[in-house]
Each structure stands twice: as structure tokens, then as C-alpha cells.
Amino acid sequence: MYIAMNRFKIKLGCEQDFAEIWKGRDTFLKEVPGFKSFHLLQGASNEEYTLFSSHATWESREAFEGWTKSEAFRKAHANAGARRDIYLGPPQLECFEVVL
């Protein structure tokens, strides 16, 4: 199994806007071979931002990499920059091989 996570720093007061973007967006993930699950996680806030993380589970690294090269990926990210005003910097991708 393989896990891909993006960490997002969202400006204080924009947390609900960020969550609504994800609720209203079609990710097209369910049509991609090897996709297992997705969660959007909200973490702690500090004086600058609230941390969020998208958490996608895949059957393998190859399945995830296939997703990143797919038409479904392009469609899912077509409007990704529409609300840049709520982000403090770009998302930070972190990927993990499941060992246990």
C-alpha cells in the first residue's frame, strides 16, 4: 500500500472556505485503478495558519504515479489555483510506502 499526503497551510479564518472547496470538488479518484480511500484532515492552528492534509491511499506507488499522469488528475486539478488567496504557500507533498 502507498499513501500520498499534501499538507496545506490555510490562512486563519479561511478554514471553512477550504473545506467547502474540497466538498464541492469532483476528484475523479474513484475511476482511477488502484485508488483505495481519501480523507481531508484538519490539524492544529497557530498564530499564522491552520494545517490541513489530504490523505489518499493507493494499492501501490505505481497506481499513484498513474493517477498523476491521468486525464482524471488533470480534470481534478483544473481549478486548483482559483482561491490562492487562502493559502500560505504551495501544498507540500509527502509520500509513504506502508511497511506494516
Side-chain angles (χ1 to χ4, degrees), residues 13 16 23 26 29 40-41 56 72 77 80 83 85-86 89:
Q16 191 60 39
K23 286 179 189 175
D26 190 347
L29 286 168
L40 181 64
L41 311 172
H77 292 85
R83 288 294 315 271
D85 60 306
I86 67 174

Side-chain angles (χ1 to χ4, degrees), residues 41-71:
L41 311 172
Q42 183 172 346
S45 297
N46 62 28
E47 59 280 344
E48 294 179 52
Y49 61 84
T50 299
L51 183 63
F52 282 84
S53 181
S54 63
H55 179 275
T57 305
W58 297 87
E59 288 179 5
S60 65
R61 175 192 302 251
E62 294 76 24
F64 170 72
E65 289 174 353
W67 149 248
T68 65
K69 298 171 184 163
S70 71
E71 180 62 26

Side-chain angles (χ1 to χ4, degrees), residues 7-11 49-52 86-91:
R7 296 163 68 82
F8 303 89
K9 294 178 180 177
I10 302 302
K11 291 181 183 177
Y49 61 84
T50 299
L51 183 63
F52 282 84
I86 67 174
Y87 297 82
L88 291 178

Side-chain angles (χ1 to χ4, degrees), residues 15-27 38 40:
E15 295 87 353
Q16 191 60 39
D17 292 339
F18 183 73
E20 291 301 321
I21 289 168
W22 283 87
K23 286 179 189 175
R25 137 183 210 219
D26 190 347
T27 63
F38 175 85
L40 181 64

